[in-house]
Amino acid sequence: MHCAIASVGADGGPHVTPVGTVFLRDDRTGFYVDRYTSVLAHNVEADPRICLMAVDSGVRFWFRSLLVGRFSAPPGIRLYGTVGALRPATAAELDLVHKSVRTLQWMKGGRLLWSDLDHVRDITFTGFRPVRYPVMMSHLWQNVR
């Protein structure tokens, strides 16, 4: 799964930031680690509205879908919401983050990227829209535009 967060810049233009440490909760909220996101951080301070897009990038998923000519599940989703203020991560949140990157931390790049992750921002989701390829998913989410 690949995630990117789009925010609104001071000039009203969009800015898209790839964010690898996004975690969703069951109550229509989530959080992301706010590290390496300087433009996103600046933008959400002025305008907290965002769109998070998550796409299933699995090779098996795409190969099977292209082979049979239809998706077994939506290939992605756009989640709309607002971002909260920067805050220290809780111990439980840090545990989730460390579990998600544990297998990559033995590499030099993994240690460089995922050390010192200690601040997060909450996201409250207000709506969603699927990523659509109508010719391969007419049987999925037919009433959602």
Side-chain angles (χ1 to χ4, degrees):
M1 189 68 73
H2 289 283
C3 292
I5 298 177
S7 59
V8 181
D11 64 354
H15 179 81
V16 178
T17 303
V19 180
T21 49
V22 175
F23 300 87
L24 304 179
R25 301 181 187 111
D26 290 334
D27 62 355
R28 298 180 83 172
T29 67
F31 71 94
Y32 68 92
V33 175
D34 192 339
R35 179 90 169 158
Y36 313 118
T37 61
S38 57
V39 174
L40 174 62
H42 177 75
N43 287 350
V44 299
E45 289 294 331
D47 184 342
R49 296 175 299 158
I50 57 98
C51 176
L52 182 151
M53 186 169 76
V55 176
D56 186 338
S57 58
V59 173
R60 284 186 183 152
F61 173 80
W62 280 92
F63 182 78
R64 185 179 16 175
S65 298
L66 293 170
L67 185 66
V68 300
R70 84 188 259 156
F71 290 109
S72 59
I77 190 162
R78 294 176 194 91
L79 301 173
Y80 298 93
T82 56
V83 171
L86 183 68
R87 65 171 178 79
T90 66
E93 290 166 341
L94 289 175
D95 189 46
L96 280 174
V97 172
H98 292 133
K99 282 181 182 175
S100 74
V101 298
R102 182 177 303 153
T103 59
L104 305 171
Q105 292 237 290
W106 66 272
M107 293 182 271
K108 181 178 181 178
R111 287 189 305 278
L112 290 170
L113 284 175
W114 295 300
S115 296
D116 302 324
L117 303 179
D118 55 4
H119 282 78
V120 299
R121 289 184 187 263
D122 290 305
I123 308 170
T124 301
F125 296 106
T126 56
F128 75 96
R129 207 169 121 211
V131 171
R132 296 182 54 84
Y133 293 93
V135 297
M136 287 181 51
M137 57 187 294
S138 59
H139 61 291
L140 299 172
W141 288 356
Q142 295 166 345
N143 296 324
V144 178
R145 294 206 182 274

